[in-house]
Amino acid sequence: MEREMLSREEKRDLRRKRRRKNTMIAFATAAVLVVVLCISIFLLIKLLTGNEKEDTQTKEIEEQISQILEEEEAIPEEPEEIPPTPEELEAMEREENIASMIFNMTLEEKVAGLFMITPEALTGTETVTQAGDTTKAMLEKYPVGGLIYFKKNLESTEQVKDMISATLSFSKYPLFIAVDEEGGKVSRVAESLGEENVGPMANIGAGGDTYAAYKATSTIASYLTQYGFNVDFAPVADVVVSGQDSAIGDRAFGSDAAVVSSMVASAVKGLQENHVSACLKHFPGLGGTSEDTHLGMAETFRTKEEMEENEWKPFKAGISSGADFIMVGHISANALTGDNRPCSLSSAVMTDILRGEMGYSGIIITDALNMGAISEYYSSSQAAIMALKSGADMILMPENFKEAYEGVLEAVQNGTVSEERITDSLTRIYRVKMKL
C-alpha cells in the first residue's frame, strides 16, 4: 500500500538504485568466475607439467583470489530505502505544485503577486464596497498577492461577504484577504459590523492569563472567517519600554517582555488554529518610541543587546508558535543598520537578523509604504525595490501601486532584482496560501 503511494519520480529512483545494485553484483560475480577459471587453467598446467615455478604462480593466484573474495564479502549492502510517510509525500507534492505554479507564471504575474494593496489602489476608484467588472478586469491585469480592507469598505454583513466572495472568484490565483483586527481601538470589522470587540490587548496582558489572549484571538478569527478574511495583521508583538512614551500604547500586551511573549504565542495560536494567518508586528519593535511612522521618521536609540533582551523576545515566541507573517516597521535603528534607513528597507534587519539569526522562514511583509516615514523620502518604486532587495517578501500598500509595480518589473527585467529573489518570496507566500 505504501509503495502505491510513491510518486513516479520516487519509483524511478528506487528502480535505478535496484539496477545499480544488481549491476554491481553481476560485475563482482563475473570477476570471481574469471579468476576461478584462471585457477583451473593453471592447476591443469601444473598437473600436466609438474613445473615448480608454475606451482608458485598458482599459489600466488590463489592468494589473490582469496583476497578478492574477502573484499567482495566486505562490501556493505545498500540499506533498504524507507518509503516516505503520507505526510512527507503530501508535503513533497505540495512543494512540487507550488514550484510548477510559479514556473508557469509570467514575469508580470510573479511581480504582481508580491503586492498587498487596497481595493481602491487596484481599481482606481475612491471607495470600494462591491466587486464587479472593474475588480475582475484589474485582477486579470494585476493578479496581486492580496487585498487589505478598511472600515470604509465594510457596510453590512451581506455586503462584505458578497464583496469578498466575488473578489476571490475573480482571481486567477489564491488571494490573501487581510484586515487590521487587533481588538480595542483597532477593530475595523467589529466596529463596522457589530461583532464583539475583545478589548485592548493591554487589558489582557495586565490580567496575566494567556488563555484570555488565546480566547480573544479565537473570537476574532471566528468572525473574520465568516466574512472571508484569511489574514489578520495582529497580534502586536511590541513591548512598551518602561519609562518611555510609546506610540503603541494599549495596543501592546504590556511592558514585561516575558508576559508579552507568552501572550503573543497564545494569540498566534488563537488565530491560526482557526484558519486565519497571524502577523507579528512591528519588528524590530516600536514600543520604545513616541514618534509615529504614519506621520514621518521615527527612530530608536536602543542597542542590539537591549533589543535582544527585551523587544525581540515576543517575536521569537511568535515565531516558535508558527506565525505566518512578520511585519517590519519603518523605524530607524542605527544600532542595527548602521545608518538612518527604515528597517523595512534594510537587509541587516530582514535578511541578517530575521532570517539569519532568528531562523524565520515565513513571510516578511513591510508596514504600509504609504506612511510618511517612507513616502516623504522615497518614491513608490524606490521603496518597493529596496524592500525586495533587502529581503521583504510582500510590499504592503505603496503610495502609488502602479508606479511601484512597474518599477519592480523593470528592476527584474534589467537584473537589479533577480528573478530567483522573486521566486523565493513567491514560494514562501504560496506555502501559506496553500494551507489556508
Side-chain angles (χ1 to χ4, degrees):
M1 175 65 70
E2 289 182 340
R3 295 191 177 278
E4 290 177 2
M5 296 175 67
L6 296 176
S7 68
R8 287 186 223 167
E9 186 61 34
E10 290 165 334
K11 289 178 180 178
R12 282 198 295 269
D13 286 343
L14 289 174
R15 286 197 294 271
R16 280 197 293 268
K17 288 177 181 176
R18 290 195 192 99
R19 285 199 296 270
R20 187 166 59 247
K21 182 177 179 181
N22 292 338
T23 301
M24 290 174 62
I25 292 171
F27 275 123
T29 304
V32 171
L33 290 174
V34 169
V35 174
V36 171
L37 180 61
C38 291
I39 288 176
S40 301
I41 293 171
F42 276 101
L43 288 174
L44 180 62
I45 293 172
K46 178 184 174 184
L47 289 172
L48 293 174
T49 64
N51 190 299
E52 186 177 331
K53 181 178 179 181
E54 289 173 349
D55 186 52
T56 301
Q57 290 175 338
T58 301
K59 288 181 180 179
E60 290 176 354
I61 291 171
E62 288 174 348
E63 290 174 359
Q64 291 174 1
I65 291 172
S66 178
Q67 184 178 355
I68 290 171
L69 292 174
E70 287 175 4
E71 290 175 353
E72 174 66 23
E73 289 176 0
I75 296 175
E77 287 190 15
E78 279 192 38
E80 274 296 317
E81 290 273 336
I82 300 175
T85 65
E87 292 76 15
E88 289 170 336
L89 285 171
E90 184 180 348
M92 287 188 288
E93 183 179 359
R94 186 165 55 247
E95 288 294 303
E96 289 174 3
N97 290 339
I98 290 170
S100 176
M101 180 186 296
I102 295 172
F103 178 80
N104 289 310
M105 287 180 176
T106 65
L107 181 58
E108 290 78 8
E109 289 174 332
K110 291 179 181 179
V111 170
L114 305 176
F115 287 88
M116 187 178 291
I117 60 175
T118 65
E120 289 77 21
L122 176 69
T123 61
T125 53
E126 186 174 345
T127 301
V128 172
T129 56
Q130 59 182 345
D133 292 341
T134 302
T135 300
K136 182 178 181 181
M138 289 299 101
L139 278 175
E140 289 174 357
K141 184 174 183 180
Y142 302 107
V144 292
L147 293 170
I148 177 171
Y149 293 84
F150 289 85
K151 188 175 180 179
K152 68 179 182 178
N153 305 118
L154 315 175
E155 294 180 335
S156 70
T157 297
E158 290 308 312
Q159 169 264 325
V160 174
K161 288 181 179 180
D162 290 345
M163 176 180 65
I164 291 176
S165 176
T167 300
L168 290 169
S169 72
F170 294 151
S171 182
K172 180 179 180 180
Y173 299 105
L175 270 176
F176 287 133
I177 302 294
V179 68
D180 287 303
E181 196 75 5
E182 301 170 5
K185 61 187 176 184
V186 182
S187 300
R188 323 283 193 205
V189 177
E191 289 178 6
S192 302
L193 305 178
E195 300 290 350
E196 177 186 353
N197 190 327
V198 298
M201 294 301 103
N203 292 354
I204 294 174
D209 181 4
T210 56
Y211 179 71
Y214 175 86
K215 185 178 179 182
T217 54
S218 296
T219 297
I220 290 171
S222 68
Y223 64 73
L224 289 185
T225 53
Q226 291 180 22
Y227 293 102
F229 293 100
N230 53 29
V231 176
D232 186 9
F233 287 127
V236 171
D238 298 312
V239 178
V240 176
V241 178
S242 298
Q244 296 187 32
D245 291 332
S246 173
I248 290 298
D250 67 1
R251 295 168 61 194
F253 285 103
S255 58
D256 185 314
V259 171
V260 175
S261 296
S262 60
M263 295 291 170
V264 165
S266 293
V268 168
K269 290 179 181 178
L271 288 169
Q272 296 194 172
E273 287 180 4
N274 291 282
H275 312 293
V276 174
S277 286
C279 179
L280 309 175
K281 60 185 186 183
H282 311 77
F283 192 82
L286 293 182
T289 178
S290 60
E291 298 160 310
D292 189 346
T293 54
H294 288 83
L295 306 176
M297 184 178 290
E299 189 171 7
T300 179
F301 298 98
R302 304 269 289 174
T303 66
K304 183 179 180 183
E305 291 72 24
E306 287 173 326
M307 292 182 189
E308 287 176 326
E309 289 301 312
N310 196 62
E311 285 97 321
W312 294 356
K313 286 184 176 179
F315 288 96
K316 291 177 180 177
I319 290 171
S320 295
S321 288
D324 287 333
F325 285 78
I326 291 181
M327 179 183 288
V328 178
H330 303 318
I331 192 170
S332 296
N334 187 275
L336 305 180
T337 64
D339 54 31
N340 66 349
R341 79 173 58 197
C343 289
S344 55
L345 307 182
S346 168
S347 62
V349 172
M350 292 187 284
T351 299
D352 298 343
I353 296 173
L354 265 181
R355 296 285 187 218
E357 296 179 23
M358 293 188 179
Y360 182 60
S361 59
I363 300 170
I364 296 177
I365 188 168
T366 68
D367 205 342
L369 293 187
N370 61 1
M371 292 182 180
I374 299 296
S375 61
E376 289 184 13
Y377 305 96
Y378 306 92
S379 70
S380 294
S381 61
Q382 284 176 325
I385 292 167
M386 288 176 68
L388 291 171
K389 288 185 69 176
S390 297
D393 297 308
M394 296 199 81
I395 305 302
L396 178 64
M397 294 170 57
E399 186 176 37
N400 185 319
F401 162 61
K402 291 181 175 61
E403 179 191 321
Y405 166 81
E406 293 294 343
V408 172
L409 181 60
E410 183 179 352
V412 178
Q413 289 170 335
N414 65 28
T416 301
V417 177
S418 71
E419 191 164 350
E420 182 182 10
R421 169 80 270 282
I422 301 302
T423 298
D424 287 344
S425 288
L426 286 171
T427 300
R428 283 188 280 269
I429 289 167
Y430 276 94
R431 281 176 184 153
V432 173
K433 287 185 174 183
M434 290 299 189
K435 73 176 185 178
L436 290 175

